[in-house]
């Protein structure tokens, strides 16, 4: 099986999910969100076709990673290939995050996407909306996007958000504001 990728695997990311992660950048996205930070991944004919087994073999060689992140583009546009990679990641003891412009509610209605969801631990869903952009959010670009605990959501048959990421980052509560003396 092949997958269309925008770039090689990117290890050691600390911004694409919790912990130290390897990011898989899929190619192809139907959303084309204005202000997207990765517009080169939108073209479904761009990037390169890569054998899924090659990706899995590469994951086996990467050390000191907490998990993988499926990003792009939109990984849900290649659910079968991403499913194989997510399964292999779990077998390697890695957790799986996935970013998508689709909503969880829409994905569970699609049998192939739902199969992939069953192998995803955390889903960041929803299109990026530039009018809701904020740099004070954990692991997402706009306020409309949600960070979902997929296992709990599937079990409870409702969206369950990851509590610790619901609020904006609030540095004023963590650090005393500097006092300047002139």
């Amino acid at each position: 099986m092949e997958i269309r990728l925008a770039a090689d695997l990117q290890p050691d990311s600390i911004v694409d999910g919790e912990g130290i992660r390897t990011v898989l950048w899929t190619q192809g996205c139907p959303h084309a969100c204005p202000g997207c930070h990765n517009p080169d991944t939108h073209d479904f004919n761009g990037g390169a076709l890569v054998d899924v087994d090659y990706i899995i073999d590469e994951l086996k060689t990467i050390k000191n990673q907490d998990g993988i992140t499926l990003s792009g583009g939109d990984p849900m546009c290649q659910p079968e290939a991403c499913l194989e990679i997510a399964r292999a990641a779990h077998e390697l003891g890695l957790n799986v995050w996935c970013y998508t412009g689709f909503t969880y509610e829409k994905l569970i209605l699609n049998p192939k996407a739902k199969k992939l969801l069953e192998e995803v631990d955390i889903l960041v869903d929803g299109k990026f909306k530039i009018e809701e952009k904020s740099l004070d959010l954990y692991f997402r670009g706009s306020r409309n996007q949600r960070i979902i605990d997929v296992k709990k959501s599937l079990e409870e048959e409702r969206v369950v958000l990851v509590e610790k990421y619901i609020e904006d980052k609030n540095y004023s509560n963590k650090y005393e504001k500097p006092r300047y003396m002139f």
Side-chain angles (χ1 to χ4, degrees), residues 2-182:
E2 291 182 317
I3 186 169
R4 188 168 291 277
L5 297 181
D8 290 333
L9 288 175
Q10 176 194 355
D12 301 325
S13 172
I14 59 170
V15 297
D16 299 293
E18 186 173 48
I20 301 172
R21 318 192 62 71
T22 295
V23 183
L24 180 78
W25 299 100
T26 62
Q27 181 71 39
C29 181
H31 311 295
C33 302
C36 174
H37 77 284
N38 228 357
D40 292 342
T41 65
H42 295 177
D43 182 0
F44 282 92
N45 296 311
L49 285 173
V50 179
D51 193 279
V52 167
D53 290 333
Y54 171 78
I55 298 299
I56 293 169
D57 288 342
E58 287 295 302
L59 285 176
K60 291 176 183 176
T61 69
I62 295 172
K63 304 293 182 212
N64 303 317
Q65 304 292 290
D66 296 303
I68 67 164
T69 298
L70 305 174
S71 193
D74 196 317
M76 290 297 173
C77 293
Q78 299 183 72
E80 292 158 317
C82 287
L83 171 63
E84 294 304 314
I85 294 166
R87 280 184 181 152
H90 278 140
E91 288 173 11
L92 294 168
L94 301 169
N95 63 60
V96 179
W97 280 53
C98 181
Y99 284 79
T100 181
F102 297 103
T103 62
Y104 175 87
E105 291 85 356
K106 184 170 183 174
L107 292 171
I108 60 171
L109 298 176
N110 177 317
K112 290 179 182 178
K114 186 174 180 188
K115 272 280 201 220
L116 174 54
L117 281 176
E118 292 169 357
E119 287 294 330
V120 169
D121 299 298
I122 303 294
L123 181 73
V124 181
D125 80 336
K127 294 179 184 181
F128 170 76
K129 293 185 177 180
I130 195 140
E131 63 275 9
E132 295 190 46
K133 178 181 177 178
S134 174
L135 299 178
D136 289 330
L137 301 171
Y138 290 102
F139 305 120
R140 60 197 195 278
S142 58
R143 294 186 192 290
N144 63 295
Q145 295 172 312
R146 303 176 294 180
I147 301 178
I148 299 170
D149 182 321
V150 178
K151 303 295 184 216
K152 286 183 181 177
S153 297
L154 290 170
E155 286 172 16
E156 296 183 23
E157 297 181 352
R158 65 179 185 87
V159 171
V160 177
L161 300 178
V162 179
E163 289 285 327
K164 63 184 173 181
Y165 299 131
I166 291 174
E167 296 297 321
D168 291 359
K169 298 174 188 174
N170 187 346
Y171 299 108
S172 63
N173 287 339
K174 294 181 184 177
Y175 304 103
E176 183 177 329
K177 292 182 180 179
R179 297 177 191 184
Y180 298 99
M181 300 187 82
F182 297 97

